[in-house]
Amino acid sequence: MKEAAVTRERLLGLAETLYDQFQEGTVPYLALPSRTKRNIEYDQEGEVWVYGDQESVRSVKTVRGAKSVLKTSYLVELLINEHLKNNRGSTLREIYYISENWDVAKFGEQAESDRLVEDLEILTSLLREDFHVRPEEDGATVFGPLTISEKTRRGEKTIHCQEDVGEAGYQIPFNVDNVEFKDHDAKFVVAIETGGMHARLIENGFDQEHGAILVHMKGQPARSTRRLIKRLNEELSLPVLVFTDGDPWSYRIYASVAYGAIKSAHLSDYLVTPAAQFLGVQPTDIVNYDLSTDKLTDQDLQALRSELTDPRFATDYWKEQIQLQLKLMKKAEQQAFAGKGLDFVTRVYLPERLSEMGMI
Amino acid sequence: MVIAEELAKHQKAISVAEFFEKNRQILGFDSAPRALITTVKEAVDNSLDACEESDILPDIFVQIKRRGEGFRVVVEDNGPGIVGSEVPRVFAKLLYGSRFHALKQSRGQQGIGISAGVLYSQLTTGRPTAVTTKIGPTHRAGRWELMINTATNEPEVLKTEDAEWDRPHGTRVEMEMEGSYVRSRRQSIYGYLKNVAIVNPHARITLVEPDGNVELFERATDRMPRPSYEIKPHPWGMELGGLIKMLRYTEKKRLKGFLQGTFSSVGAIISQEICERAELDPEMAPQDLTHAEATRLLAAFKEMRLKSPPTDCLSPIGEELIRAGLEKEYRVDFVATTTRPVAVFSGNPFQVEVGLAYGGELKADGKVDVLRFANRVPLLYQQGGCAVTHAIENVTWKSYSLTQPGGGVPTGPAAIIVHIASTNIPFTSESKDAVADVPEIVAEVELGLKEVGRKLRRYLSKKSALSERKEKEEIIRKILPRISKKLAELLDRDEPDINPVVAKIMGNLLVKRSVASENGETFVTLSVANYGDAARAFKLHETVSVEAGSVEPPARVIPLGDGYDHLWKVSLRPGERQSFKYTVPSEGVRFSEPVVEGVPSELVSGAKAVG
């Protein structure tokens, strides 16, 4: 987190740039990296995917561009005069509602205001937390042999993520940088896509047996979840394994943990865990374990083909797996293991897969 | 008895009337609504043809009244009237007419039309048709009651009498028939007359509907269409049977003379050449040609290089009148029209005219309206089987800003009108509903459609340029001032001057004055930049309360009552800029806003614009 003064200065710098453009007679514009699949490249040093050199320019020459610049100035005013000055904050959704009073600068939908907040992060090289902007809680949780302390409004709390929490686990706060890791007895981290599999592993005592920290991602992981996974990996030197369904959408969940998301590639350094490995369900598992499957839909096929041209998936491993799946024309859920018995996943699949990966 | 003899007992000639009695669908009397439409159509066609031939502006009155189970149809015109001795045969003998043998652009061709109506009337109600006609103000009007003898195809006059009629001349037909009156569809009497009015803007047509409602289709012009005239047949258009008939009945004594005198585009030299090619003696009597010789003659016709038939015999509506006709009957935003040059198929001259109406009250969803006309007669039925429709389907409308989902007739708020004029319209059937797919005609229609398509595309792109300008005005009026205000508040500074940015976005001429003072002197620079994409020539006025010094470049100075106007003549190419400098004392000098003379005010930023 940056000091409020630094944040204020950078936001004002943005306003100043636009002001000067008017004064110089330059048609005001904001240049941002273009946020598409074609404009992400691998950063050797950070081992993550970041934006390339392609820029999209938002110029007041068009009504769309002009409105976007106007909205940017309103948003900057809100952040400086309401948030930073009074040390308060709003959620992304609240910002959308605040814009009701902005007349022609009103946001059409929340996706638009969310995007503009991300744009401001890129333009100022800051995080939305610096602007005192919060996401809505998404309920992702951690369960495992880990002791943390969290700064809350009622002081610092120390929590053991098995003993001091209920069945649901420890809920990840939106600002993970308020959490400190105190102690742990873990060998690795498993990040799980679905609640069903998360609960299955807890019920079967997998965390205790193998010394695993189980992170429930709740689908596509929020920033805070990805930040927490990265910190577990970096600060505690724990390997990270991503366990999802075996379909194209789940591979994207893995990609956002290990490679970075296209939408938030400007935060890759902060959020991405390059060492994270894909555990499964792999298309080869569908064959090897003879799992119950569903047919690929047209959307699935489109997504798989799109992944073949996605630079993040341009490795031999992924090409092989995706090609195989296109041949099988099938996908499998994590829950498919239950068809072999409730213990199958913890007794057979995970031990085999983990020893294959050199974890146990 | 031999079988053939037995059969011969049952063979007898059938009259044309009997034949049509059994095949009335061929003539367009196949359904109750259509019978009424066809009757009105035939009567109105006759009236329009007669008026045009006599150079009279048509004034036609159509009335449909309920009469018992059926209807009473009245069609009255101000035409030349019909000579008494002709009346029975014109109305009560099928295939009697003046136009069947004439190669001339006219609405009726076969001489079937109105007598088929008479026939239908007597078949469905058993009542005679009443005709009143008057050939001039000094003549008395005559009234006939007529029926057709269906066995002999001869008229039967039930009654004939003198009548009183206040019209100076004209014809009135009254008949009763079964039928049903529809209104809402295009295929209705109302729809038919509306279309007639579009392509006959010189006609006034009044329709009184069964419920008493009166519709007036007022004329849009007092100019008569150019009269069409009769031409001789062209050799290329001949068929063997016709040729043999003409050879037999000609009054010419020699083949050479027959060829020269009967056909268009055939003179002495050509007629000699045809005979040589057909290996026939030019001096022989035309009546003596054998069937084989006539066949050779016809073959020689087709091999000859001939001039096209005369083309000035046709009477196109004209682009102006098509436009007037369309604008009279539709409220639209845009009309494009074209009249193609005369072309020829099989020796028949023809000419295509196309009009396209866009926007206004036309519906944006669904296929465009297609209005087909042949010799100024609307074609209401069998649209799918018509050469005009096929030509429309052949055009790639996407290139002309109309969508064409799945091919076929395009969609959008448009109406397409196609008129074909010819001495011989090739219809697909006797009911004259659709034009046959003659390649020359389809090609000409396509060319005409593409011409109006290009005009539509130009119109629409101009319109979108206009909306782009509007969009830009929204930016400079509503958005930019708010941005600059917000930025100024945030930074706690004065609002920035947005004029230079406005000039760049709008492509305007920008005038900016900058001032610097030193040692009691003020140095003024007026910089002028042309951000437009056209060169600008104008006068720049700078009015100051004192006369300026060190003026560079030199200006004309005009003393005013309370100051001095400094005037420069400036000419700037796109992207070019120029500075004008002068000095004034720092104390007690008043400036006014710079003035640009000779550029429209919406194209100037940072200065006042005058005439």
Side-chain angles (χ1 to χ4, degrees), chain A residues 20-308:
Chain A
D20 291 347
Q21 286 170 341
F22 269 116
Q23 288 290 55
E24 290 159 13
T26 307
V27 177
Y29 69 95
L30 294 169
L32 285 153
S34 137
R35 290 155 77 176
T36 64
K37 178 166 88 178
R38 264 166 290 133
N39 189 39
I40 53 167
E41 48 191 47
Y42 190 65
D43 170 24
Q44 296 286 350
E45 215 170 297
E47 298 180 325
V48 293
W49 290 85
V50 295
Y51 290 125
D53 298 331
Q54 287 175 32
E55 282 193 335
S56 73
V57 171
R58 224 160 280 167
S59 158
V60 301
K61 259 185 209 143
T62 64
V63 167
R64 238 176 94 105
K67 281 191 175 164
S68 166
V69 169
L70 181 60
K71 287 169 191 179
T72 308
S73 12
Y74 269 93
L75 182 59
V76 165
E77 186 197 34
L78 168 78
L79 299 181
I80 291 177
N81 289 348
E82 298 289 333
H83 283 191
L84 299 175
K85 199 192 256 173
N86 303 328
N87 195 22
R88 306 190 59 181
S90 329
T91 66
L92 287 165
R93 185 132 194 93
E94 283 171 329
I95 288 181
Y96 165 66
Y97 282 117
I98 290 168
S99 83
E100 294 264 323
N101 307 314
W102 294 356
D103 195 26
V104 285
K106 179 181 177 315
F107 293 113
E109 51 180 8
Q110 197 193 327
E112 195 191 350
S113 50
D114 289 0
R115 244 188 117 77
L116 195 55
V117 171
E118 283 165 8
D119 288 345
L120 278 186
E121 291 183 318
I122 299 173
L123 288 165
T124 57
S125 309
L126 293 168
L127 294 174
R128 65 187 179 204
E129 285 79 5
D130 297 319
F131 307 143
H132 301 196
V133 175
R134 302 183 285 266
E136 272 60 48
E137 290 302 336
D138 76 334
T141 56
V142 179
F143 197 92
L146 172 72
T147 308
I148 57 103
S149 73
E150 180 186 341
K151 282 193 207 103
T152 71
R153 254 156 290 183
R154 296 205 179 84
E156 200 165 304
K157 306 258 174 176
T158 302
I159 298 163
H160 188 277
C161 295
Q162 281 165 326
E163 284 154 22
D164 302 336
V165 297
E167 289 281 287
Y170 166 69
Q171 185 152 347
I172 302 171
F174 71 83
N175 190 352
V176 175
D177 291 328
N178 287 336
V179 174
E180 211 179 304
F181 301 134
K182 291 292 185 197
D183 191 17
H184 78 93
D185 188 18
K187 296 199 185 70
F188 54 87
V189 177
V190 184
I192 302 154
E193 176 181 357
T194 63
M197 183 52 68
H198 184 67
R200 166 64 43 225
L201 296 194
I202 294 171
E203 187 181 304
N204 290 10
F206 183 80
D207 52 315
Q208 272 171 333
E209 194 173 331
H210 295 281
I213 295 174
L214 306 177
V215 178
H216 176 204
M217 295 188 288
K218 274 211 148 179
Q220 184 73 43
R223 279 188 190 185
S224 51
T225 312
R226 285 154 63 198
R227 175 72 183 148
L228 183 85
I229 292 170
K230 181 182 174 68
R231 288 188 53 206
L232 286 170
N233 172 259
E234 274 190 351
E235 293 172 30
L236 308 181
S237 306
L238 292 173
V240 172
L241 310 168
V242 179
F243 188 17
T244 66
D245 287 340
D247 65 39
W249 317 102
S250 301
Y251 308 153
R252 290 178 186 190
I253 291 177
Y254 166 71
S256 76
V257 173
Y259 306 140
I262 294 171
K263 208 164 77 88
S264 58
H266 59 293
L267 300 168
S268 285
D269 280 334
Y270 179 73
L271 298 177
V272 170
T273 313
Q277 300 175 65
F278 187 65
L279 191 153
V281 176
Q282 315 170 94
T284 42
D285 296 334
I286 295 177
V287 182
N288 294 342
Y289 294 94
D290 189 23
L291 296 177
S292 323
T293 55
D294 287 314
K295 264 203 185 144
L296 291 178
T297 64
D298 286 347
Q299 288 86 341
D300 292 337
L301 285 172
Q302 216 173 5
L304 278 174
R305 290 198 194 104
S306 155
E307 280 162 12
L308 282 175

Side-chain angles (χ1 to χ4, degrees), chain B residues 510-580:
Chain B
L510 173 68
V511 181
K512 204 176 163 184
R513 185 198 280 137
S514 42
V515 179
S517 289
E518 200 180 315
N519 299 333
E521 252 193 322
T522 296
F523 299 84
V524 183
T525 305
L526 281 175
S527 54
V528 184
N530 180 8
Y531 291 111
D533 40 23
R536 299 265 176 239
F538 53 93
K539 288 177 186 157
L540 176 66
H541 299 266
E542 173 78 321
T543 305
V544 192
S545 57
V546 298
E547 188 171 349
S550 335
V551 183
E552 186 57 44
R556 223 179 111 196
V557 182
I558 304 158
L560 304 172
D562 53 351
Y564 295 86
D565 178 8
H566 303 76
L567 165 68
W568 290 275
K569 282 191 174 168
V570 191
S571 171
L572 292 178
R573 287 189 301 274
E576 205 182 356
R577 56 176 66 232
Q578 198 181 348
S579 295
F580 303 86

Side-chain angles (χ1 to χ4, degrees), chain B residues 218-404:
Chain B
E218 185 53 271
R219 65 171 59 95
T221 175
D222 284 340
R223 220 170 65 215
M224 290 293 290
R226 198 177 75 192
S228 56
Y229 65 85
E230 194 171 337
I231 59 162
K232 296 180 212 162
H234 190 274
W236 286 343
M238 291 311 298
E239 283 167 1
L240 188 58
L243 179 59
I244 290 172
K245 208 163 113 191
M246 287 161 88
L247 283 163
R248 186 169 304 150
Y249 295 109
T250 181
E251 283 157 12
K252 300 281 177 183
K253 299 284 183 290
R254 297 188 186 85
L255 180 57
K256 204 170 90 182
F258 165 76
L259 293 175
Q260 276 187 52
T262 313
F263 297 105
S264 60
S265 309
V266 177
I269 299 167
I270 298 283
S271 110
Q272 187 73 29
E273 243 180 87
I274 293 174
C275 293
E276 275 167 34
R277 204 179 276 264
E279 294 173 18
L280 293 169
D281 179 3
E283 302 300 324
M284 74 186 293
Q287 293 80 1
D288 293 349
L289 261 72
T290 63
H291 189 277
E293 284 170 334
T295 310
R296 288 215 304 277
L297 187 63
L298 189 69
F301 281 176
K302 309 272 148 121
E303 289 165 11
M304 291 296 298
R305 288 175 60 110
L306 297 171
K307 267 195 321 194
S308 294
T311 52
D312 53 355
C313 58
L314 298 176
S315 167
I317 303 167
E319 296 192 32
E320 219 176 285
L321 290 186
I322 291 184
R323 176 185 301 276
L326 275 172
E327 286 176 346
K328 175 162 76 101
E329 299 302 328
Y330 288 109
R331 267 182 301 129
V332 295
D333 297 334
F334 171 76
V335 173
T337 55
T338 183
T339 297
R340 297 285 309 157
V342 178
V344 175
F345 76 93
S346 315
N348 301 300
F350 73 97
Q351 189 165 18
V352 168
E353 296 176 276
V354 181
L356 189 151
Y358 188 89
E361 65 180 7
L362 296 168
K363 285 205 191 72
D365 48 345
K367 303 273 184 198
V368 306
D369 276 348
V370 176
L371 310 179
R372 298 169 294 139
F373 299 90
N375 286 351
R376 296 178 187 246
V377 175
L379 308 181
L380 297 186
Y381 294 89
Q382 290 184 27
Q383 179 174 316
C386 184
V388 168
T389 312
H390 299 153
I392 291 173
E393 290 166 352
N394 290 346
V395 172
T396 309
W397 285 99
K398 216 179 103 192
S399 320
Y400 308 110
S401 318
L402 286 178
T403 53
Q404 201 174 12

Side-chain angles (χ1 to χ4, degrees), chain A residues 12-28 60-67 69-70 73-74 76-77 80-81 102-104, chain B residues 470-476 478-491 493-502 504-505 510 512 531:
Chain A
L12 282 177
L14 195 62
E16 209 165 353
T17 307
L18 290 169
Y19 186 94
D20 291 347
Q21 286 170 341
F22 269 116
Q23 288 290 55
E24 290 159 13
T26 307
V27 177
V60 301
K61 259 185 209 143
T62 64
V63 167
R64 238 176 94 105
K67 281 191 175 164
V69 169
L70 181 60
S73 12
Y74 269 93
V76 165
E77 186 197 34
I80 291 177
N81 289 348
W102 294 356
D103 195 26
V104 285
Chain B
K470 264 197 194 141
E471 169 169 307
K472 284 181 173 172
E473 270 163 14
E474 187 191 345
I475 298 175
I476 59 163
K478 273 170 90 179
I479 309 180
L480 287 191
R482 284 168 205 245
I483 297 178
S484 79
K485 183 163 172 261
K486 192 61 54 183
L487 292 174
E489 279 171 19
L490 266 169
L491 298 167
R493 297 184 192 171
D494 291 336
E495 275 191 47
D497 174 14
I498 65 169
N499 274 328
V501 171
V502 169
K504 278 189 183 170
I505 292 176
L510 173 68
K512 204 176 163 184
Y531 291 111

